[in-house]
Amino acid sequence: MTGVLVPLGSDAAAGLRPATREVLTLARDLGEVTALAHTTPTADLLAELGSYGVTRVLTTPLPEPASAAAVAAQAVVSAVTEVSCAVVLFTSSFTTKEIAAHTAHRLGAGLLIDVGGVHLDGGRLVGGKRAFGGTWETVCEVRTEVAVATVTPNAVMARPAPQPTVPELRDLPAEIEVPPRLELLERTVADHSGDTRPSLAEAAIVVSGGRGTFGDFEPVEELADALGAAVGTTRDCVEEGWLPPEAMVGQTGTTVAPRVYIGAGISGAPHHIGGMAGAGTVVAVNIDDEAPLVQLADFAVIGDLSSVLADAVEALREHGG
Amino acid sequence: MRSTEDGTLNEVDENAVETALQLKEAAQAADPDSGHEVVALTMGPSIAVDAARRAMQMGADRGVHVCDDDLAGADYAVTAAALAAAIRTEAPVDAVVTGMAALDGLGSVIGSLLAAELGWPQLSVARSVSWADGVITAHRGVDGVSETWQAATPAVVSVTDVTNSPRLARMKEILAAKAKPVRTLSAADLGLTTEELTSRTAVRSATRRPEPDPEIIFDDGTGGAKLAEYLIAHDLLAKENS
Ligand SMILES: Cc1cc2nc3c(=O)[nH]c(=O)nc-3n(C[C@H](O)[C@H](O)[C@H](O)COP(=O)(O)OP(=O)(O)OC[C@H]3O[C@@H](n4cnc5c(N)ncnc54)[C@H](O)[C@@H]3O)c2cc1C
Ligand SMILES: Cc1cc2nc3c(=O)[nH]c(=O)nc-3n(C[C@H](O)[C@H](O)[C@H](O)COP(=O)(O)OP(=O)(O)OC[C@H]3O[C@@H](n4cnc5c(N)ncnc54)[C@H](O)[C@@H]3O)c2cc1C
């Protein structure tokens, strides 16, 4: 049976993230799943991993600077060797892409970034992704013995295993070299415990507002809350100071692949589209029916976003949503 | 730096060139005889040389163009191996500056792979970059984490579109750029082995997605309700995944 490694990252202590549950669901379909943690998992985390069919959990602490990709990657490589995995599956974020790159380099493994699903075919890992602003659908395969991939959020619905497992817990001895000449001077992790909305990168629905909001994000936020969605935006709005940089979707912002992407008052520049072209369904609201985002949408309303979004919220409330 | 399909410079790579120029200027300010140069390195078909030209118009001193049919369709690993080999031919190098993501591939991995290939420290997705006494300091904020890193050179740095404002090329530099030298290197020049030239991933199929055929509604006061109806009818309200 193919061994699949899923690195949980350092934030697993607080419970599994939705994206990690999705990756565990995909991993289980590929073979026997081993998870890698950096602190001893709590009983709750172990039970949750068991509910997703994980058979083994390896734990190894990371030396400082633990947040350097080159450090985390060495732990992943040790785990791959320890349990001879043929596939390493990461969630997809800036941080994990860097760790995945260092891991693939050390393993001499082929690397797939931002795939929207994976399967094995003749022992090879195959993954699909959208390319060139979502105009092409490509299927890539890995030709090396070991494959490393990052999977976009919302690629699959997370499903617990039909039969829960009791994961074996094992300490992983790993000799990790600290990268030369590198020093972390300061690190702060934003506190998201009070957040009422899902994280932008992982949300199943994203409602984004662009310059067409003229800085009034209330209609966008109200629709997002009616849908349980995250709020996104464009670079122009970040530059205006209307929303923080974390909310930016695009080439140089966050890549999102939600089930539904609703863009209001957004023209749809290539830089923006590159970051949301993996969305399942695209809805646009714009006064201009020629706007590129309208042209690539599945459904578009041509009109003033403030009234259209407010009316949509009202209709959703009536529906009981 | 990366060229786009039509050979122009991937825009965030203009920020990378700007950072490189600023690092050179800082080195010169500290020591006028430092002799630092900015070299624009690109890999791609013949047209990709335009990306190096564009960088030289901004002020890069010369160009290196890795160009070989054997490198067509290179995957991340081959791209990084070839770029690293080209960088080694330029030794000593203080810093390699890349963009955070190329617009077409959006892999965001080349910087990490170069750091791994070269065995250098990496300062990635830097929102600000400064250089003093052989040490580069960079601040980044990604995935809800804000960090300040410091690396003694040589180091790999990747920058974003907000790291700086790329300077506009002036007429004098546009003319001067024509005379700046570009070294063209083949895979053989770089001494790349068959293994290094073999892509580890392959595209099995690429299909053009059907032209989008949007259902467009002109708002007559019912547009918002229709938007809600669309989401409801297509079962797109599910919240369990969020
Ligand atoms: C190197 C580089 C990287 C970049 N990276 C990114 C990135 O990652 N993400 C990103 O988003 N951008 C990025 N950009 C910027 C990008 O090129 C665009 O400038 C930006 O996306 C445009 O933002 P916008 O759609 O909000 O504004 P605009 O392009 O001004 O569009 C506003 C839209 O609102 C519509 N509108 C106006 N009034 C109303 C109304 N009342 N109701 C409804 N619609 C209305 C208009 O018709 C128009 O379509 C980058 C640019 C560069 C050069
Ligand atoms: C749609 C698409 C999907 C792909 N998917 C995969 C995949 O899953 N696995 C795989 O192994 N390969 C893949 N490739 C191939 C990969 O894109 C190329 O190897 C490419 O040269 C580098 O990756 P990137 O565009 O993602 O660059 P990024 O890592 O996003 O680029 C970051 C920076 O690196 C520098 N850089 C990148 N390319 C060059 C270059 N040629 N010359 C000089 N500097 C450069 C630039 O400064 C750029 O801003 C894909 C290509 C495309 C077009």
Side-chain angles (χ1 to χ4, degrees):
Chain A
M1 198 171 183
T2 305
V4 185
L5 182 75
V6 177
L8 299 179
S10 42
D11 57 4
L16 293 178
R17 305 185 60 85
T20 311
R21 287 190 208 116
E22 293 158 14
V23 169
L24 289 172
T25 304
L26 273 173
R28 197 173 66 226
D29 289 342
L30 298 179
E32 193 188 48
V33 184
T34 299
L36 173 65
H38 301 308
T39 49
T40 308
T42 60
D44 282 354
L45 180 61
L46 264 188
E48 201 179 2
L49 290 168
S51 74
Y52 277 86
V54 171
T55 54
R56 200 185 289 113
V57 182
L58 301 176
T59 309
T60 194
L62 293 179
E64 288 301 328
S67 60
V71 168
Q74 292 177 65
V76 178
V77 171
S78 298
V80 168
T81 325
E82 170 87 5
V83 293
S84 38
C85 288
V87 178
V88 184
L89 284 190
F90 287 90
T91 56
S92 210
S93 66
F94 286 117
T95 315
T96 57
K97 283 182 200 178
E98 288 177 357
I99 300 170
H102 282 271
T103 302
H105 177 81
R106 286 180 175 261
L107 293 169
L111 176 62
L112 300 178
I113 292 290
D114 278 347
V115 288
V118 282
H119 67 272
L120 285 167
D121 181 11
R124 284 190 166 154
L125 189 76
V126 179
K129 64 177 170 186
R130 296 217 178 131
F132 303 116
T135 52
W136 289 77
E137 202 76 68
T138 60
V139 178
C140 300
E141 69 174 24
V142 174
R143 298 195 153 166
T144 47
E145 236 162 81
V146 180
V148 178
T150 74
V151 181
T152 57
N154 301 303
V156 290
M157 284 278 197
R159 268 179 292 114
Q163 288 294 320
T165 47
V166 180
E168 172 207 347
L169 192 55
R170 207 197 284 177
D171 282 330
L172 170 71
E175 269 177 36
I176 297 175
E177 286 167 37
V178 170
R181 311 193 299 276
L182 183 65
E183 204 186 330
L184 177 63
L185 300 184
E186 170 255 275
R187 181 170 205 262
T188 30
V189 180
D191 180 9
H192 287 293
S193 54
D195 283 8
T196 50
R197 300 195 184 107
S199 89
L200 176 61
E202 297 182 356
I205 307 180
V206 173
V207 183
S208 291
R211 193 176 270 291
T213 59
F214 295 93
D216 176 11
F217 274 81
E218 207 179 302
V220 170
E221 289 176 345
E222 281 191 354
L223 180 60
D225 291 339
L227 293 167
V231 171
T233 193
T234 63
R235 188 175 81 162
D236 292 39
C237 300
V238 171
E239 276 174 357
E240 293 285 354
W242 295 338
L243 284 184
E246 297 82 70
M248 185 170 93
V249 171
Q251 178 193 15
T252 51
T254 299
T255 304
V256 300
R259 289 183 65 210
V260 187
Y261 187 86
I262 302 176
I266 294 178
S267 59
H271 308 101
H272 186 79
I273 289 174
M276 48 65 69
T281 299
V282 177
V283 174
V285 179
N286 202 304
I287 45 172
D288 174 11
D289 64 333
E290 306 266 304
L293 192 67
V294 171
Q295 292 303 317
L296 75 71
D298 297 286
F299 182 82
V301 180
I302 307 309
D304 176 48
L305 71 89
S306 49
S307 55
V308 172
L309 298 190
D311 292 349
V313 170
E314 203 183 296
L316 287 167
R317 288 217 178 103
E318 274 167 26
H319 176 73
Chain B
M1 70 200 40
R2 180 78 195 277
S3 70
T4 58
E5 269 162 289
D6 56 5
T8 55
L9 184 56
N10 174 39
E11 276 166 306
V12 71
D13 289 352
E14 293 182 13
N15 299 92
V17 174
E18 178 62 36
T19 295
L21 293 169
Q22 288 181 8
L23 293 176
K24 172 183 159 177
E25 285 157 5
Q28 273 176 342
D31 171 11
D33 301 321
S34 75
H36 279 83
E37 281 183 302
V38 172
V39 182
L41 167 63
T42 187
M43 175 176 122
S46 3
I47 191 175
V49 75
D50 290 355
R53 283 276 168 236
R54 175 84 190 81
M56 291 187 294
Q57 291 173 354
M58 287 177 65
D61 298 287
R62 51 192 181 81
V64 174
H65 179 196
V66 178
C67 184
D68 197 311
D69 286 346
D70 281 349
L71 288 166
D75 71 347
Y76 300 140
V78 173
T79 303
L83 291 174
I87 291 162
R88 287 188 197 103
T89 70
E90 289 285 338
V93 172
D94 292 302
V96 170
V97 189
T98 74
M100 66 181 284
L103 186 51
D104 46 4
L106 277 183
S108 293
V109 294
I110 295 299
S112 299
L113 290 174
L114 286 177
E117 284 278 348
L118 297 164
W120 294 0
Q122 168 187 17
L123 302 169
S124 57
V125 203
R127 280 178 191 276
S128 67
V129 181
S130 61
W131 183 93
D133 300 326
V135 173
I136 300 177
T137 306
H139 176 74
R140 76 176 210 158
V142 298
D143 302 332
V145 180
S146 143
E147 293 172 330
T148 309
W149 290 89
Q150 204 166 63
T153 57
V156 177
V157 180
S158 81
V159 301
T160 80
D161 57 320
V162 299
T163 309
N164 49 43
S165 314
R167 62 194 68 183
L168 295 171
R170 285 170 303 180
M171 196 35 110
K172 198 173 122 221
E173 271 133 11
I174 293 176
L175 293 173
K178 291 200 178 122
K180 289 180 179 172
V182 177
R183 202 154 59 97
T184 306
L185 296 171
S186 68
D189 294 336
L190 293 171
L192 294 171
T193 62
T194 318
E195 199 198 332
E196 284 171 322
L197 282 170
T198 309
S199 282
R200 300 172 189 172
T201 62
V203 177
R204 274 199 172 181
S205 66
T207 25
R208 217 189 148 87
R209 290 179 70 209
E211 281 295 316
D213 183 15
E215 186 181 337
I216 299 182
I217 305 263
F218 287 83
D219 183 31
D220 55 4
T222 63
K226 286 189 178 135
L227 197 168
E229 269 165 39
Y230 180 88
L231 297 177
I232 295 162
H234 291 76
D235 197 18
L236 295 173
L237 296 185
K239 288 185 189 177
E240 67 265 37
N241 220 17
S242 56

